[in-house]
């Protein structure tokens, strides 16, 4: 009796490997996938073999269709993976077993095809065979022909098209037989953890979640800072940011979210600086607090969702005036990108619907009707004259809650210490 097991095959891009240490790359992907799988109830394991990566279910629940689909989704959202396939692995098997099992794969593909296009009654397919084990008596074309003929005998509504088939059935002969009928696109990019660590200023808007996703796709591990001004900004506004962080964790893995209690600082700024410079001064303070938090967590850069010219505080002059207060590089992956394109990405990664919920951001609370759009550095220095900025920055760094946000839960790991006040 053949042994039939479910696996998920994950492919990595050879291009991405150029210049990088392949073993480290592979190890990091496996670790990132495993961390996410460990948040599911059933147990899975991950391993690499012959330069391909695999997920294996370790108990009955893990092997069910429901959980294999979840594992596939995790694989496809893990950066560094180019594509993934649910695979049947047949061991202690002969070619008759392969033929029998291939019909299950066809059934599965057809189910999907019928769902996609209920009116279509006839499909074409092609068997792609690969013989890794050269001692196997049939050549790859022979395997393809035999299996194709067997499938044709069993499905009157199928025919073969070797040029442009509606679907492929893949069979590989290696240490075991492997059968699959679908290749799902992965998140591509580089595995998180290979690109260093950065701190993102995460608001509840459309842009900063997309900026987070883009930096994560280059292998950067992120933690996040959110400036909260209760009661000027509501509990809902804060919850929205937590929800966004949670959506992002499907791609980034667990995120440490630092929620800075910004109310007193903001009130102080409003009282002591000219209203047309308030947004700029506030942003300068935010950057410095974020940098302080980044230092503590060993992040080496900041990330924002700014896009050139989008609002008054994102002109070249305004960005220059806020950038100058920090020493770390500030990455702005959306700087040259149109809002439409950002929205497309936000929809794709699933943050858009949450981002457009109508809760106010602290940037908009005391905003001046005519903010200076082309501030000079001297304007900012003058505006800060009556303020002890470094004191406010220290206060911001101190007055924060830290949450650990993951797919499974949101856990408070530090609460603002009242005795600090
Ligand atoms: P977003 O859609 O990301 O909110 P935005 O287009 O609304 O961006 P601004 O409000 O000017 O632009 O903010 C620019 C950037 O500053 C944001 O992308 C984000 O990185 C950061 N930022 C703004 N407000 C906050 C906040 N309350 N907490 C943390 N970061 C913030
Ligand atoms: Mg905003």
């Amino acid at each position: 009796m053949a042994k039939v097991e479910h696996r998920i095959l994950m492919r990595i891009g050879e291009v991405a490997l150029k210049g990088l240490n392949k073993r480290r790359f592979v190890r990091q992907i496996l670790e990132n996938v495993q961390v996410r799988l460990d948040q599911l109830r059933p147990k899975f394991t991950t391993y690499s073999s012959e330069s391909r990566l695999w997920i294996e279910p370790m108990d009955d629940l893990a092997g069910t269709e429901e959980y294999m689909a979840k594992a596939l989704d995790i694989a496809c959202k893990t950066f560094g993976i180019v594509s993934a396939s649910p695979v049947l692995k047949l061991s202690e098997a002969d070619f008759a077993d392969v033929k029998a099992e291939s019909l299950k794969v066809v059934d599965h593909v057809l189910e999907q095809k019928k769902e996609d296009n209920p009116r279509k009654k006839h499909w074409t397919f092609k068997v792609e065979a690969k013989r890794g084990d050269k001692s196997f008596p049939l050549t790859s074309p022979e395997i393809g022909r035999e299996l194709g003929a067997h499938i044709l005998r069993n499905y009157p509504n199928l025919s073969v098209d070797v040029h442009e088939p509606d679907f492929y059935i893949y069979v590989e002969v290696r240490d075991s037989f492997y059968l699959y009928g679908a290749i799902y696109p992965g998140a591509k990019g580089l595995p998180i953890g290979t690109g260093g660590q950065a701190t993102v200023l995460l608001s509840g808007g459309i842009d900063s979640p997309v900026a987070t996703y883009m930096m994560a796709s280059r292998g950067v591990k992120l933690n996040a800072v959110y400036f909260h001004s209760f009661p000027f900004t509501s509990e809902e506004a804060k919850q929205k940011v937590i929800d966004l962080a949670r959506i992002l964790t499907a791609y980034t893995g667990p995120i440490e979210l630092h929620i800075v209690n910004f109310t007193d600082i903001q009130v102080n700024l409003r009282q002591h600086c000219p209203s047309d410079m308030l947004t700029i001064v506030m942003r300068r303070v935010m950057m410095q607090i974020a940098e302080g938090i980044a230092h503590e967590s060993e992040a080496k850069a900041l990330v924002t969702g700014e896009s050139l010219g989008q609002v008054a505080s994102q002109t070249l002059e305004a960005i220059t005036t806020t950038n100058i207060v920090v020493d770390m590089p500030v990455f702005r992956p959306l700087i040259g990108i149109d809002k439409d394109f950002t929205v497309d990405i936000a929809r794709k990664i699933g943050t858009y619907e949450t981002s457009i919920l109508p809760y106010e951001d602290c940037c908009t609370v005391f905003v001046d009707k005519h903010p200076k759009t082309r501030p000079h550095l001297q304007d900012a220095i003058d505006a800060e004259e009556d303020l002890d900025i470094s004191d406010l920055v220290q206060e911001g760094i101190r007055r924060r809650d830290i949450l650990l946000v993951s797919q499974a839960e949101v856990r408070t790991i530090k609460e603002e210490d009242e005795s600090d006040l």
Side-chain angles (χ1 to χ4, degrees), residues 203-205 361 363:
S203 72
D361 180 62
C363 282

Side-chain angles (χ1 to χ4, degrees), residues 175-395:
D175 55 327
S176 306
F177 295 99
Y178 296 89
L179 272 169
Y180 54 98
I183 298 178
Y184 295 91
K188 305 195 177 67
L190 304 174
I192 286 169
T194 58
Q197 193 171 323
T199 296
V200 58
L201 287 83
L202 185 66
S203 72
I206 295 170
D207 299 331
S208 44
V210 173
T212 308
Y213 171 85
M214 287 175 76
M215 291 314 298
S217 82
R218 300 315 298 164
V220 176
K221 183 169 167 47
L222 292 142
N223 59 4
V225 181
Y226 165 62
F227 297 91
H228 186 50
S229 292
F230 187 79
F232 307 118
T233 54
S234 58
E235 273 304 304
E236 284 91 342
K238 174 165 112 182
Q239 187 57 45
K240 181 175 152 182
V241 176
I242 297 172
D243 292 345
L244 285 168
R246 192 158 188 181
I247 295 168
L248 287 165
T249 62
Y251 297 95
T252 61
I255 293 183
E256 224 178 72
L257 174 61
H258 299 249
I259 299 178
V260 173
N261 183 344
F262 203 50
T263 316
D264 292 347
I265 298 174
Q266 224 178 347
V267 168
N268 216 316
L269 296 180
R270 184 175 56 167
Q271 280 168 354
H272 295 105
C273 94
S275 125
D276 64 348
M277 282 299 290
L278 182 59
T279 302
I280 297 288
V281 170
M282 190 180 73
R283 297 195 57 75
R284 281 161 60 95
V285 172
M286 284 164 106
M287 293 296 272
Q288 291 173 77
I289 294 172
E291 188 182 44
I293 291 171
H295 275 308
E296 276 186 24
S297 52
E298 296 186 0
K300 302 281 189 289
L302 299 177
V303 178
T304 78
E306 288 162 305
S307 175
L308 196 65
Q310 195 180 81
V311 289
S313 61
Q314 296 178 23
T315 62
L316 189 51
E317 291 82 355
I319 288 178
T320 307
T321 313
T322 51
N323 198 100
I324 204 156
V325 295
V326 292
D327 295 322
M328 282 184 185
V330 181
F331 294 134
R332 300 176 177 86
L334 309 185
I335 197 72
I337 286 181
D338 242 49
K339 191 78 180 187
D340 290 357
F341 189 51
T342 304
V343 166
D344 286 347
I345 301 174
R347 284 190 205 277
K348 189 187 92 178
I349 64 177
T351 52
Y352 182 73
E353 296 302 326
T354 304
S355 287
I356 59 171
L357 293 173
Y359 307 118
E360 64 298 310
D361 180 62
C362 71
C363 282
T364 54
V365 175
F366 305 136
V367 102
D368 189 81
K369 280 205 182 61
H370 304 288
K372 258 203 178 42
T373 51
R374 306 209 175 281
H376 292 289
L377 178 56
Q378 194 57 47
D379 297 327
I381 293 169
D382 293 345
E384 289 169 5
E385 209 170 47
D386 295 338
L387 290 156
D388 187 339
I389 294 289
S390 75
D391 211 47
L392 293 179
V393 169
Q394 287 316 311
E395 177 181 334

